[in-house]
Amino acid sequence: MAEFSQKRGKHRGDEALGSAVDFLLANARLVLGVGGAAVLGIATLAVKRLIDRATSPRDEDDAKGDSWKELNLLKATPHQQPRPPPASLSQPVSLPAPLPSAPEGPTDTELQKPPQLGSPVPLCLTFQEKLLAFEQEHVVIPAAHVALAKQLAGDIALELQAYLRNKFPELPFGPLVPGGPLYDGLQAGAAEHVRLLTPLLLEPGLWILVPGMDTVARDPRCWAVRRTQLEFHPRGSSPWDRFLVGGYLSSRVLLELLRKALVASVNWPAIGSLLGCLIRPSVASEELLLEVQHERLELTVAVLVAVTGTHSDNHLLLAWPLEGLAGNLWLQDLYPAEAARLQALDDQDTGTRRRLLLLLCGVCRGHPALGQLGRSHLTQVVLRLGEEEVDWAEEALGEHFLQALELLISSLEQASLPCHFNPSVNLLGSLREEEIDSIGYALYSGLQAPEGLL
């Protein structure tokens, strides 16, 4: 009975307090406006709840529920400017002067100053934004480095061309032309690689190109350069006849000749001092490589002995160190055709296919497992997506990046990645099974958490 009386008295007290609050809010709305009345109501409600908590214990779960509801109410309350009070309330009121012995505390203006913010809170970026940030930090090459690499490559080309003409005056080499991804805007990360084409000027009518599948090597990647018209132009009438093996122009013999010349005959220290850099031919590699060290960058120049086809077929064949029966054949270089196709597709719709290729190259460039994927592998993926997909705006770049990963995983599962311009060539054919498994696992992990690749 006593408990009931206590609850009843408390209920009457709540009613009396509620009536007082209603009366106060009704008059406050007239004086302070809607915003001021809302703030006053919240303050009154907080005082009432403090009294309730002091007089009666409450359950812990109810207290937690009320706490987040109060925070939600405070966040939802609009911060309105208070209306100006009536004239009778705006008159100045004289305040008693502070006692001289009282310590001087902070003023109201100081109390209302917002606290100084510390370090900015890190933003939660989307994958698209992280991808664009990775492009700026790890893909884009400074223009000064690109210009310096081109200048060094051009100077080396002039010096090497002068040497070849003096060393082998009987062999008609064409002008040495520097090029490659760096010149086409397809180099990612650093200006570290340049191709230096060294074309052979073959006599028209004395040489024909034979597909590799029509030779004993049965290699679809290669072509043979066969000597013809021997009855009218016998062997020895062409300066290139000294490199014939079985009636075909041997790329292996030419590579051996030029390798010996680049390593032993060229005065690279003198040329390097003239150009302000250090130049050393690579002895360990089977390719013709020149390692250039400058105070601002390091550059690798690949000297590529090349045979160009007629205007009708427009093949570019390279003297490449091949194994087995294909050792004397010439490797078909499809890079110029691939780069031109990507450029043409992007020009049609102002697309981002080339940027996607650069991003893929930048990701694979520093990855321990994905580094086994070369530019040719990634180019085929981008070309395939570029022909199939329609929307190539910048906003879809992140989506296309993930599509490229999926396409690579699918190709690795089948151990097949056909060349875009020569489908009979499988670009994954040279990888071992454990290498395919390593690359596939890295790509699958990257597809689950793509931010980890950046």
Side-chain angles (χ1 to χ4, degrees):
M1 185 67 180
E3 182 181 357
F4 175 75
S5 300
Q6 183 180 2
K7 291 183 179 180
R8 187 175 180 181
K10 182 178 182 298
H11 179 67
R12 290 177 179 176
D14 293 343
E15 290 180 353
L17 182 60
S19 300
V21 170
D22 292 340
F23 177 77
L24 180 62
L25 293 179
N27 290 276
R29 187 179 295 108
L30 296 175
V31 178
L32 303 178
V34 178
V39 174
L40 180 60
I42 293 172
T44 307
L45 179 61
V47 173
K48 177 181 177 298
R49 290 188 174 181
L50 288 175
I51 296 174
D52 291 343
R53 290 172 182 172
T55 56
S56 61
R58 303 186 58 199
D59 185 68
E60 184 179 356
D61 294 336
D62 295 340
K64 291 181 180 179
D66 286 342
S67 64
W68 73 262
K69 290 180 182 178
E70 291 171 6
L71 290 175
N72 189 46
L73 179 62
L74 290 174
K75 291 179 181 179
T77 303
H79 298 277
Q80 298 182 1
Q81 296 293 336
R83 295 182 181 179
S88 60
L89 299 179
S90 61
Q91 298 298 328
V93 179
S94 60
L95 296 177
L99 297 177
S101 60
E104 184 177 354
T107 62
D108 295 341
T109 306
E110 294 176 351
L111 292 176
Q112 294 178 359
K113 288 183 179 180
Q116 297 294 331
L117 297 178
S119 59
V121 179
L123 300 177
C124 184
L125 301 178
T126 64
F127 175 68
Q128 170 80 7
E129 293 170 336
K130 293 180 180 179
L131 193 65
L132 295 179
F134 175 84
E135 180 184 31
Q136 293 298 321
E137 296 176 3
H138 301 284
V139 175
V140 177
I141 306 175
H145 289 188
V146 176
L148 177 59
K150 290 181 178 180
Q151 178 183 353
L152 290 175
D155 294 340
I156 292 174
L158 293 177
E159 295 293 336
L160 186 56
Q161 183 169 346
Y163 165 80
L164 291 177
R165 289 179 178 175
N166 293 329
K167 180 68 176 179
F168 309 104
E170 73 281 2
L171 298 179
F173 289 99
L176 274 64
V177 182
L182 184 66
Y183 287 75
D184 299 325
L186 295 176
Q187 183 72 42
E192 59 186 5
H193 190 79
V194 171
R195 295 157 47 106
L196 188 57
L197 287 182
T198 308
L200 310 183
L201 299 182
L202 301 180
E203 299 86 354
L206 297 186
W207 310 90
I208 62 172
L209 303 182
V210 180
M213 291 298 295
D214 296 340
T215 64
V216 293
R218 305 291 296 174
D219 193 334
R221 304 172 301 163
C222 305
W223 290 71
V225 182
R226 189 174 67 187
R227 176 72 155 85
T228 61
Q229 302 290 332
L230 289 175
E231 60 275 14
F232 302 104
H233 302 277
R235 183 168 182 166
S237 57
S238 171
W240 303 109
D241 286 344
R242 57 186 286 195
F243 305 104
L244 289 178
V245 174
Y248 293 89
L249 182 63
S250 173
S251 61
R252 177 181 296 172
V253 177
L254 266 170
L255 279 178
E256 292 176 356
L257 173 70
L258 293 180
R259 181 180 294 107
K260 292 178 181 179
L262 293 180
V263 172
S265 300
V266 182
N267 190 358
W268 292 117
I271 296 177
S273 62
L274 179 64
L275 303 181
C277 60
L278 179 64
I279 306 176
R280 290 194 301 256
S282 177
V283 182
S285 176
E286 295 184 357
E287 304 175 37
L288 303 181
L289 301 180
L290 300 176
E291 299 174 355
V292 182
Q293 292 184 351
H294 191 271
E295 59 181 3
R296 294 172 56 188
L297 56 82
E298 293 185 359
L299 182 67
T300 299
V301 178
V303 181
L304 303 176
V305 182
V307 170
T308 58
T310 61
H311 295 287
S312 58
D313 50 35
N314 197 24
H315 292 303
L316 178 61
L317 307 179
L318 303 179
W320 198 260
L322 300 171
E323 300 294 335
L325 297 176
N328 292 314
L329 301 184
W330 297 72
L331 182 67
Q332 183 177 8
D333 182 22
L334 295 175
Y335 167 76
E338 295 167 350
R341 182 56 181 164
L342 284 175
Q343 183 68 59
L345 289 173
D346 276 351
D347 290 342
Q348 291 177 3
D349 53 9
T350 319
T352 56
R353 298 168 183 84
R354 289 155 48 87
R355 290 176 63 184
L356 175 60
L357 177 59
L358 286 170
L359 285 169
L360 292 172
C361 291
V363 167
C364 295
R365 179 173 173 264
H367 197 280
L370 300 182
Q372 301 177 82
L373 291 175
R375 178 182 301 276
S376 58
H377 301 99
L378 304 176
T379 302
Q380 313 312 312
V381 173
V382 177
L383 281 172
R384 181 172 172 181
L385 289 177
E387 301 282 2
E388 296 175 354
E389 299 298 326
V390 178
D391 183 14
W392 281 94
E394 184 182 68
E395 292 75 13
L397 194 56
E399 179 183 356
H400 291 318
F401 182 88
L402 299 179
Q403 289 177 345
L405 298 185
E406 294 176 351
L407 184 55
L408 279 170
I409 292 175
S410 176
S411 300
L412 289 169
E413 290 175 350
Q414 304 173 9
S416 174
L417 182 60
C419 179
H420 186 78
F421 288 100
N422 190 358
S424 59
V425 176
N426 178 18
L427 296 179
L428 297 180
S430 59
L431 295 178
R432 300 191 305 271
E433 184 177 355
E434 55 270 19
E435 293 175 336
I436 291 180
D437 293 340
S438 176
I439 298 172
Y441 177 77
L443 288 174
Y444 181 79
S445 302
L447 189 61
Q448 302 304 314
E451 293 84 358
L453 295 175
L454 304 181

